[in-house]
Amino acid sequence: MDAVDDALARIADGSYSAGLSESLVLEFKTDGRSVKDDLANIAEAVACLANAAGGTVVVGVDDKRTGAEAFVGTKLDPEKTRLRIYEITQPPLLVETEVRAALHGGVLVLTVPNSTQVHSANGKIPTERVADRCLPMTTERIAAVTAQKTGRDWSIHSSGVPVSEVDAVAMQVAREMLVRSNDPSKRRVAEASDIDLLRAVGVVLEDQTLTNAGALLFTRAYERTVLISYTHRRTPAGQLTANEQLTGPLVVALQRVFDLIDARLETTPVSIGKGQQLHIADLPEPAVREAVVNGLMHREYFSMERTAVEHTVTQLRVSSPGGFVPGVNVDNVLTTSSRTRNTNLAGAMRMLGLAETAGSGVDRMYAEMARVGHEPPRYAADSTRVEVTLLGGAPNTTLARYVATLPPEEAADADTMVILLTLLTRKTVAAEDLTPLLQKPAIDEAQSVLARLSGDEIRLLEPTRETARRAYPKYRLREDALAALGPAVAYRRRTTDQLDRKIIELVHETGTINARMVRILLDLDTISASRVLADLVERKILVKTSEATRGPSVTYGRGTGFPSKTRNRRSADKPVPENSRNQDQLPLDDLDN
């Protein structure tokens, strides 16, 4: 059953009306006053769909009714309809027509291609499909859509601006970007003359003029055009604390946005052992930069509408003009091959170190967010805009500490980090679960990632015993990973009372304990075990009983707050008088109260 048949079935069983079933690619129509008017109306709907992603027009279904009475049928002839649409659309548009059986008579289904041209009907202004509506296209939008459909690259064409008009500040910023590169050849470019630097970046044409990308990046040709707006609020609905409208040159505007964001990022220090410490921002800086750069590198420049950066303490949203390029959508943005409408601009920005190599920018955003416990980037898009939102907050320090122990290539791998993040809240995952999450086109691709992470080299996952022989087993974290992640794993987390009870019961039996016993008993790492013991000492439940102050020889015994062991309350013959209890000594049973 295709999408149209599925929609018709839902209308027939009363689940939805045709109006609620309309979408970016589906429109419903009914016969009106005359065949002439009906054909004109349908031609406009067909042109609208063709100017966007193509789609289907169904004639003969009332968009306000459900069930059998919604299927009112049509008198239109399929072949005559097809011919008339061709005659009254400019340029002429060919569609496929067929009659499909419905509850009461047939409906006419018109299949509309995603055309390589922009079409109008009846001599009217062209429209394009946005969500479930047809909206008029401006001259700029027509140019942008035409360029997108024909593969025209705005950024590579001559701007007419001579090389001599490059801005001195922009060139200095560019040199500083190149100097920070790990690539020696790029650092050498930073020392070259202006013209040689521009040639190395790829923005100089044979007539010594700059490409549109070059003029955008390095000159004041766009100093009267707001390229980026930056706003900051302490909370999403709070008052503005910063509001800057930034014009060209783009490299200068970008550096200014980075500075504005960096100044407002809050960091958390995380010790990773051996005297090393990480300072982790509530919004990971690499993810933030990728979001901003991608919003400028892949956006539509036929329209000079600004790229908007909205920043709060725990959130960053970047919204840019122009939809995704053909073949890319919110469901495959992580895995689809890198595509851009601005190849010259993208190449220049990558040369300057502003963007990752082709195809790795989105991956990096996913990995950087997941490795500190934040959910992956959220994308929203239509034909006119793309929006990405990063939701941050205080980092998961235990997870970040563990990720720092992984091989660098795994810590930077989006698949690994998303799987690890998922297994903090789910005991098991299977390839079927991960296929949409990792945006893999096939279940076997997700399975290959799980198999790799369960191999002897990485040893992060293991198949469950019950499913190990299946083609697609369920996988869980290995025991050593669980121990290292400790409280970061939701389903392994214990309450303070539960931890106290286990340790107190052990001390009742053995008299003394040490950190190693606590690690084995509670399945904790060294740092977590030390924290548990320090907390018990502070609350006087335990006290150090050895002369040693550090290391494995430190032992602990009963403190003044250590609870006494009482009989089971059900078997107690009489209540214990209130004044007979030491206020610092609570019975073991009272730990749950």
Side-chain angles (χ1 to χ4, degrees):
M1 181 181 292
D2 65 16
V4 175
D5 285 335
D6 183 52
L8 294 174
R10 285 183 287 139
I11 295 167
D13 66 20
S15 300
Y16 294 95
S17 67
L20 292 176
S21 299
E22 290 181 335
S23 67
L24 178 68
V25 294
L26 182 59
E27 172 84 359
F28 288 93
K29 295 290 185 184
T30 56
D31 291 354
R33 293 173 299 179
S34 70
V35 171
K36 180 180 179 181
D37 289 344
D38 291 342
L39 291 173
N41 187 20
I42 292 169
E44 290 177 17
V46 163
C48 171
L49 290 172
N51 292 340
T56 306
V57 176
V58 180
V59 186
V61 183
D62 189 314
D63 64 2
K64 293 181 176 61
R65 301 178 189 177
T66 59
E69 62 182 23
F71 294 85
V72 296
T74 179
K75 297 177 181 178
L76 295 179
D77 177 79
E79 194 55 37
K80 290 181 180 178
T81 299
R82 183 170 185 261
L83 176 60
R84 185 57 180 158
I85 289 172
Y86 183 83
E87 291 173 343
I88 61 177
T89 50
Q90 302 84 32
L93 180 60
L94 276 174
V95 300
E96 296 299 323
T97 59
E98 65 170 317
V99 175
R100 294 195 190 181
L103 290 182
H104 296 283
V107 295
L108 179 61
V109 177
L110 294 84
T111 303
V112 185
N114 179 0
S115 178
T116 58
Q117 298 173 293
V118 173
H119 300 268
S120 62
N122 307 309
K124 296 183 178 180
I125 295 173
T127 62
E128 67 176 325
R129 194 75 166 180
V130 178
D132 59 353
R133 301 168 60 197
C134 288
L135 300 180
M137 301 174 71
T138 64
T139 303
E140 288 178 341
R141 182 62 187 158
I142 292 171
V145 171
T146 301
Q148 178 175 304
K149 288 175 175 290
T150 58
R152 181 189 172 202
D153 181 357
W154 168 88
S155 67
I156 194 65
H157 289 275
S158 175
S159 65
V161 178
V163 170
S164 58
E165 291 191 19
V166 294
D167 180 73
V169 175
M171 295 305 294
Q172 181 58 35
V173 170
R175 293 180 192 281
E176 292 170 359
M177 291 175 176
L178 289 164
V179 164
R180 292 193 291 267
S181 173
N182 293 324
D183 186 339
S185 64
K186 290 186 179 181
R187 294 199 297 271
R188 286 194 293 272
V189 171
E191 301 173 0
S193 65
D194 284 357
I195 184 65
D196 287 337
L197 186 154
L198 294 169
R199 286 195 181 108
V201 173
V203 295
V204 180
L205 298 173
E206 291 183 2
D207 61 358
Q208 302 303 294
T209 61
L210 296 169
T211 62
N212 281 323
L216 179 72
L217 288 165
F218 300 110
T219 78
R220 294 188 174 275
Y222 296 91
E223 64 180 342
R224 295 185 179 181
T225 301
V226 176
L227 299 173
I228 316 172
S229 66
Y230 172 84
T231 57
H232 179 268
R233 292 177 168 86
R234 293 292 301 172
T235 62
Q239 292 185 337
L240 283 173
T241 56
N243 184 7
E244 295 211 16
Q245 312 301 308
L246 305 172
T247 64
L250 184 56
V251 290
V252 178
L254 257 175
Q255 188 58 57
R256 175 61 178 161
V257 170
F258 293 156
D259 292 343
L260 288 167
I261 295 172
D262 290 348
R264 292 168 172 80
L265 289 178
E266 298 185 7
T267 61
T268 300
V270 178
S271 173
I272 59 174
K274 298 182 179 180
Q276 295 180 299
Q277 194 174 66
L278 298 174
H279 287 269
I280 301 176
D282 288 354
L283 284 163
E285 184 180 343
V288 166
R289 291 186 173 234
E290 284 298 324
V292 174
V293 169
N294 282 350
L296 288 156
M297 185 167 69
H298 300 301
R299 58 158 284 178
E300 180 57 71
Y301 280 100
F302 284 98
S303 166
M304 279 292 111
E305 188 178 345
R306 69 200 62 186
T307 293
V309 179
E310 302 170 63
H311 185 198
T312 69
V313 173
T314 59
Q315 178 176 297
L316 185 96
R317 177 179 292 116
V318 181
S319 180
S320 294
F324 281 120
V325 297
V328 182
N329 56 57
V330 295
D331 296 320
N332 68 8
V333 64
L334 174 61
T335 53
T336 192
S337 58
S338 180
R339 303 173 191 180
T340 180
R341 54 173 58 89
N342 305 306
T343 54
N344 187 241
L345 178 62
M349 294 178 84
R350 291 181 181 125
M351 177 67 183
L352 292 171
L354 286 168
E356 291 290 297
T357 55
S360 61
V362 175
D363 294 54
R364 189 178 189 191
M365 279 196 287
Y366 270 73
E368 292 292 338
M369 293 294 285
R371 69 189 295 173
V372 293
H374 300 329
E375 65 177 81
R378 292 181 180 178
Y379 279 91
D382 58 29
S383 61
T384 62
R385 295 195 73 77
V386 172
E387 179 180 283
V388 60
T389 302
L390 306 179
L391 298 176
N396 185 326
T397 56
T398 305
L399 174 61
R401 189 180 297 114
Y402 175 73
V403 170
T405 68
L406 295 175
E409 61 274 14
E410 295 300 335
D413 186 86
D415 292 342
T416 301
M417 290 299 100
V418 171
I419 290 172
L420 180 58
L421 182 64
T422 302
L423 283 169
L424 296 185
T425 55
R426 295 177 59 175
K427 289 185 178 181
T428 63
V429 293
E432 183 180 6
D433 308 319
L434 293 175
T435 299
L437 192 63
L438 302 180
Q439 297 187 2
K440 300 297 185 186
I443 190 172
D444 287 341
E445 291 190 32
Q447 174 59 32
S448 69
V449 177
L450 291 167
R452 177 174 62 82
L453 295 178
S454 65
D456 291 337
E457 185 175 345
I458 301 173
R459 299 182 60 81
L460 178 65
L461 309 179
E462 63 182 5
T464 63
R465 183 178 302 174
E466 299 79 8
T467 67
R469 295 182 180 276
R470 298 178 186 174
Y472 303 109
K474 292 183 178 180
Y475 290 82
R476 63 192 175 199
L477 290 168
R478 289 187 183 237
E479 198 61 36
D480 52 352
L482 277 171
L485 287 164
V489 182
Y491 48 87
R492 291 284 291 254
R493 192 174 295 138
R494 301 184 178 97
T495 66
T496 300
D497 284 348
Q498 290 172 321
L499 297 174
D500 287 358
R501 178 179 291 280
K502 285 184 174 292
I503 293 174
I504 289 167
E505 287 177 348
L506 182 61
V507 174
H508 270 300
E509 298 297 326
T510 62
T512 61
I513 61 170
N514 58 30
R516 182 172 181 273
M517 295 167 69
V518 172
R519 290 202 309 272
I520 294 172
L521 175 69
L522 301 180
D523 195 15
L524 299 175
D525 59 20
T526 301
I527 295 175
S528 299
S530 297
R531 287 175 179 166
V532 170
L533 287 168
D535 177 64
L536 290 167
V537 170
E538 184 178 347
R539 290 188 282 137
K540 299 182 181 180
I541 294 174
L542 297 182
V543 65
K544 288 184 179 179
T545 58
S546 60
E547 294 183 3
T549 59
R550 298 182 64 184
S553 57
V554 177
T555 58
Y556 300 84
R558 305 180 187 197
T560 58
F562 192 86
S564 60
K565 210 166 190 178
T566 63
R567 289 175 295 169
N568 187 298
R569 286 176 177 159
R570 293 179 182 175
S571 63
D573 294 327
K574 57 183 178 180
V576 179
E578 289 294 328
N579 58 7
S580 69
R581 290 186 186 175
N582 185 319
Q583 293 300 306
D584 290 330
Q585 292 184 327
L586 297 176
L588 190 58
D589 291 336
D590 282 354
L591 283 172
D592 291 333
N593 296 336

